[in-house]
Amino acid sequence: MNAVAARRSVGSMRRHFVTPEGVDLQLSLGTAGARAGAFMVDALLMVALLVAVTLFLLYLRVKQLDQFLMILWLIGFFLLRNFWFVLFEMGRRGATPGKRLTGLRVVARDGDRLTGAAVVARNAMREIEIFLPLSFLAAQASEGLADSFLTIFALGWSGIFLFFPLFNRDRLRVGDLVAGTWVVEARREALSSDLVGEPRGHRRQFPEAALAAYGIYELQRLEQVLRGEQPAAVATVAHTIRDKFAIASDGDDYGFLSDFYAELCHRLEQGLMLGRCRQSKHNDT
Amino acid sequence: MSGPLVNATRFRAEHSADWERLDQLVTRLERKSLRSLSDDDLLDLPRLYRSTLSSLSVARDTSLDRSLLTYLEQLSTRAYFQIYGVQTSPGRQVLRFFARGWPLAIQALWRELLFCAVLTAASALAAFLLVRGDPDWFYGIIPQGMAAGRDPAASTAFLRGTLYGNERDGLMVFATFLFTHNAQIAIFAFALGFAFAVPSVLLITYNGLMLGAIFAVFAAHGLAHNLAGWLLIHGTTELLAICVAGAAGIRIGLALAFPGAAQRMEALVAAGRTAATAMLGAVLMLSVAGILEGVGRQTITDDGLRLLVGAVALAGWLLYFFLPRRTVDEAR
C-alpha cells in the first residue's frame, strides 16, 4: 500500500481521474456549499445586470425606438436567463463568474473535452430545478391564495431537485446527471515556501522515542501549524511534544518545531524508501 | 548524507523553474486564448506539462510535503484542462453544429419526432371534432386570455378581421414575446423529459388540442383555409420546432426508463447530449418562426402565398434534417 492510496480516506470528495499520460490527478469535487454559493453569485449578477439594463432602457425612452427597445429587452432577458451559464461554461475555464469566484469548474465525467451539447443539457435542466418551483411560488404569491396542495407539491418538487446533489456521492445536479458532467475544484495555489531548506549545522537533537512516536498524519498536521504561524497553536504543539518526551524548553517554540518537523520528515521519508509507511501514531510500521 | 535533508527541498530546487514557467503559461491560457502564446511557448507547453506530471507522481511517492503536493496537483490539473479539456474555437463549433450536430441529432430522434407529429395531429383532430360537436368544449381547452375574443360566440366579420386587418401596432413586439415564450416552453419540454417524459407528452398533446379548437371556431364560419394561411406561414416551422423539443424530452425519459443494454447513467448521458443539441436547434427554429410571423405575415396577405411560404419552409427543414449525411460518430 503506497502513500497515495492510503491518503484517500473513504467517502472523501476525491475521485480518480487518469490522464492519457497515466497519472491520476485525483480531482476534488466541489462541495455543495461552494456550488450553492456560486449559483447565488451568478443569480445576483444576472438580476443586477437585468435591473441595470432595464433602468438604462427606461432612461433612454426614445419614442420612435420604443418597440425596438422592447424587443431588445425581451430577447436580452431570454438570452440572459437561458444562456448566461452556457456561454461562460463553454469558455476556456469552464466556469461562470460565480464558479470562478468559488474556485470551481465544470468537467466532463469521462475526462473528455466538455462539449457544447453537454453544457446546454446541464443548464437547460435548471428549468425544472430552479425556475419552475420559483414560478410556482410567484404565481402563488400573485394570486394571494395559497392553494395548499399546490404549494406543498411545488416545495416538494423543488426540494427533491434542490437537494439532489446531497443525495449522491458525486454531488451531481440533475443537469450533471443528464449531461455527464461534474463540478470539480480548480483552485489556483501559489507554491509555498520550503519548511526545511538546506541542512544547517546546529539542528536540535531529539530523542529517538519522540521521532518514533509519530506518523505521516501528524507530520502533515505539524506542517499546517508551522505554515499557519499562529503563535498560540505553535506554542501549544511545542509544549505538548516537550511534555510528552521530557525535553527542556529553550524558549524558541517555532525553531523547535521546525527542527522537529525536519527530523521527522527526514526519518519518515527514509522509511518510505525502505517500504515502511507509517500513516499515523496509531499505526505500527 | 550530504545535500538537502528532505525530498521536497531537492525537488523544489530541481524543478521549480519548470513549474513556475508552466504556471505562467497556463494562467495566460486561462485568461486569453491559444493565440496569446508564442511559438516557443507552444513548443514548451507539452514538455513542461509532462515534466510537471512526472514531478507530481514522484512527489506523491517520495515527498511528505503536503503543500508541495497540493501545488503540483492543482498545477497539473489546470494544465490538463487547458491542453485536453478545451473546446474547439467557437466559430468551428457553430459550423459543426449546423453541418452535422443538429441534423444528426434530429435524425437520431426520428421515431420520437414522428410520434410527436402524429400526436399533435391526433389531438388537433380530436379537439376539432369536439368543438364542432359542442362549442362549449372550446372554453375548456383554450384559456380566455389567449383566445382574445376569437371564440365560438364571435362574428364572422370579427374573425376575418383578426386574419387580415392590419393588426394593431406592436406586432413585432408581440411576435418577439411569443418567440421567447415558445422557446421557454421548448426548453421546458426538454427538461421535463427527466420526469419520464410524461409532462413532455402532455405539453405536445395540449398544443395539438389548442390548434384543433381554434380551427374548429374558424371552420364554423367557413374561414378554415384563411386561418390555415394565417397560421401556417410560420406555424409549420413552429409546430415542427415544438415537436422537436417534445421529442428531445421523450428521448431523455425513454433513456431513463428503458436504458436497454447500456447502463442507465450512460444511456441518460448519450440521450441528454443528443436531445440538448436538438433542443438548441428547436430554439433557433422558433426564432425563424418568430421572424416569419412578425415580418412575413405582415407583408404577405394572400392565403395561397402564405400557405406556399409555410410549405416551402417545412420542406426546407425536412430536407435539411433528413438529407443523408456521413455519420462518423453520434451527434454530440
Side-chain angles (χ1 to χ4, degrees):
Chain A
M1 190 170 176
N2 65 5
V4 179
R7 258 202 302 275
R8 303 165 53 82
S9 59
V10 178
S12 74
M13 297 289 280
R14 309 201 78 183
R15 296 288 176 270
H16 288 293
F17 192 91
V18 182
T19 69
E21 294 81 11
V23 177
D24 186 0
L25 287 179
Q26 297 181 16
L27 298 177
S28 316
L29 297 176
T31 59
R35 306 270 308 265
F39 177 76
M40 288 295 168
V41 172
D42 282 324
L44 283 175
L45 282 174
M46 281 160 73
V47 169
L49 190 66
L50 190 70
V51 169
V53 170
T54 308
L55 288 178
F56 179 70
L57 289 183
L58 282 177
Y59 165 77
L60 278 182
R61 283 215 72 104
V62 189
K63 250 292 159 264
Q64 296 80 23
L65 283 180
D66 236 10
Q67 283 197 33
F68 173 71
L69 290 183
M70 192 69 208
I71 289 172
L72 207 66
W73 188 89
L74 279 168
I75 299 272
F77 176 69
F78 173 76
L79 290 179
L80 185 68
R81 172 174 164 179
N82 292 294
F83 292 99
W84 165 277
F85 290 93
V86 172
L87 289 178
F88 278 112
E89 286 174 8
M90 278 171 77
R92 284 195 79 86
R93 290 184 186 217
T96 58
K99 287 198 181 70
R100 226 183 265 185
L101 206 72
T102 46
L104 301 172
R105 77 169 289 151
V106 182
V107 174
R109 278 207 298 272
D110 53 8
D112 222 337
R113 66 176 49 160
L114 187 66
T115 57
V119 175
V120 170
R122 82 182 291 278
N123 288 306
M125 277 291 155
R126 227 182 280 273
E127 272 314 290
I128 57 169
E129 291 173 353
I130 307 266
F131 293 116
L132 181 67
L134 271 186
S135 50
F136 256 133
L137 292 174
Q140 288 296 314
S142 66
E143 285 183 13
L145 53 107
D147 176 351
S148 51
F149 171 75
L150 212 115
T151 311
I152 289 169
F153 174 77
L155 285 177
W157 171 290
S158 45
I160 290 173
F161 288 112
L162 205 60
F163 297 113
F164 199 90
L166 297 177
F167 297 134
N168 63 70
R169 260 197 10 238
D170 292 338
R171 298 283 173 271
L172 303 176
R173 274 201 305 124
V174 170
D176 290 318
L177 213 61
V178 171
T181 53
W182 52 13
V183 176
V184 298
E185 287 192 351
R187 301 204 170 286
R188 292 191 49 196
E189 310 238 358
L191 183 53
S192 47
S193 60
D194 188 357
L195 279 180
V196 181
E198 294 300 312
R200 302 197 309 267
H202 52 283
R203 280 196 196 282
R204 293 172 180 78
Q205 294 301 308
F206 300 97
E208 177 64 20
L211 291 171
Y214 298 113
I216 292 172
Y217 177 83
E218 288 76 26
L219 179 81
Q220 286 173 350
R221 286 294 156 281
L222 181 55
E223 182 190 337
Q224 271 184 353
V225 169
L226 287 170
R227 290 195 191 286
E229 289 184 0
Q230 300 281 346
V234 170
T236 311
V237 175
H239 195 74
T240 310
I241 294 176
R242 284 194 191 112
D243 271 5
K244 203 165 172 177
F245 303 103
I247 304 169
S249 171
D250 56 2
D252 178 9
D253 288 340
Y254 192 84
F256 169 81
L257 279 191
S258 0
D259 283 357
F260 188 74
Y261 173 85
E263 287 296 328
L264 184 60
C265 191
H266 177 57
R267 182 193 169 95
L268 288 171
E269 275 185 358
Q270 279 192 314
L272 276 186
M273 294 284 181
L274 301 172
R276 286 200 302 265
C277 175
R278 184 150 195 220
Q279 284 310 315
S280 75
K281 61 185 177 188
H282 306 296
N283 303 66
D284 293 325
T285 42
Chain B
M1 186 176 148
S2 64
L5 190 65
V6 297
N7 281 324
T9 311
R10 217 165 318 158
F11 234 75
R12 286 168 194 254
E14 272 172 44
H15 300 288
S16 62
D18 273 2
W19 302 339
E20 268 152 30
R21 181 145 158 66
L22 181 67
D23 204 340
Q24 279 168 4
L25 292 187
V26 169
T27 306
R28 220 181 317 158
L29 274 176
E30 281 171 346
R31 292 236 172 89
K32 295 171 191 141
S33 74
L34 215 52
R35 289 201 197 87
S36 65
L37 298 190
S38 68
D39 291 352
D40 290 350
D41 292 342
L42 277 178
L43 284 175
D44 262 355
L45 189 63
R47 182 185 66 78
L48 293 169
Y49 163 70
R50 274 195 289 274
S51 85
T52 304
L53 269 187
S54 71
S55 297
L56 171 65
S57 34
V58 173
R60 270 184 182 153
D61 279 338
T62 62
S63 172
L64 296 174
D65 186 341
R66 188 80 218 124
S67 71
L68 175 70
L69 288 175
T70 314
Y71 171 76
L72 286 174
E73 263 169 11
Q74 63 89 30
L75 182 56
S76 307
T77 304
R78 280 167 53 213
Y80 171 88
F81 286 122
Q82 288 310 319
I83 291 170
Y84 286 104
V86 167
Q87 305 273 8
T88 42
S89 70
R92 190 167 303 171
Q93 274 204 70
V94 169
L95 208 66
R96 261 195 57 182
F97 172 81
F98 283 110
R100 307 179 41 77
W102 184 14
L104 286 180
I106 302 271
Q107 282 177 28
L109 290 173
W110 72 270
R111 291 185 200 84
E112 288 87 347
L113 189 58
L114 190 65
F115 170 77
C116 285
V118 170
L119 186 66
T120 303
S123 29
L125 186 67
F128 181 83
L129 295 176
L130 281 173
V131 175
R132 289 308 301 272
D134 177 4
D136 281 349
W137 274 103
F138 179 89
Y139 303 102
I141 294 174
I142 297 195
Q144 283 294 312
M146 265 191 72
R150 290 170 294 194
D151 51 37
S155 66
T156 310
F158 171 78
L159 289 177
R160 183 177 288 280
T162 59
L163 297 186
Y164 300 103
N166 203 352
E167 291 168 71
R168 64 192 177 285
D169 218 23
L171 184 81
M172 276 302 286
V173 175
F174 188 64
T176 311
F177 168 76
L178 275 184
F179 153 68
T180 56
H181 176 80
N182 289 335
Q184 212 64 67
I185 299 275
I187 294 171
F188 210 48
F190 161 86
L192 282 173
F194 194 76
F196 298 108
V198 175
S200 306
V201 173
L202 289 178
L203 270 177
I204 295 287
T205 311
Y206 186 63
N207 191 44
L209 287 175
M210 289 201 298
L211 189 70
I214 280 276
F215 255 100
V217 168
F218 280 78
H221 297 272
L223 291 169
H225 66 281
N226 312 71
L227 176 73
W230 182 81
L231 205 61
L232 292 182
I233 183 172
H234 70 283
T236 50
T237 306
E238 193 166 294
L239 288 171
L240 187 60
I242 287 176
C243 283
V244 165
I250 290 171
R251 165 55 62 96
I252 288 181
L254 285 180
L256 201 58
F258 313 109
Q263 281 195 346
R264 201 175 296 270
M265 290 287 270
E266 284 164 14
L268 186 63
V269 169
R273 291 181 181 181
T274 308
T277 310
M279 189 265 309
L280 194 63
V283 171
L284 286 175
M285 285 173 78
L286 286 168
S287 68
V288 173
I291 293 169
L292 279 174
E293 182 178 21
V295 180
R297 198 161 66 190
Q298 288 277 76
T299 48
I300 305 173
T301 49
D302 177 64
D303 283 341
L305 261 181
R306 279 178 175 181
L307 275 173
L308 183 70
V309 171
V312 166
L314 182 64
W317 288 119
L318 291 178
L319 270 179
Y320 167 57
F321 291 145
F322 291 107
L323 268 184
R325 283 162 214 269
R326 290 187 322 251
T327 45
V328 179
D329 51 357
E330 76 281 16
R332 285 195 138 189

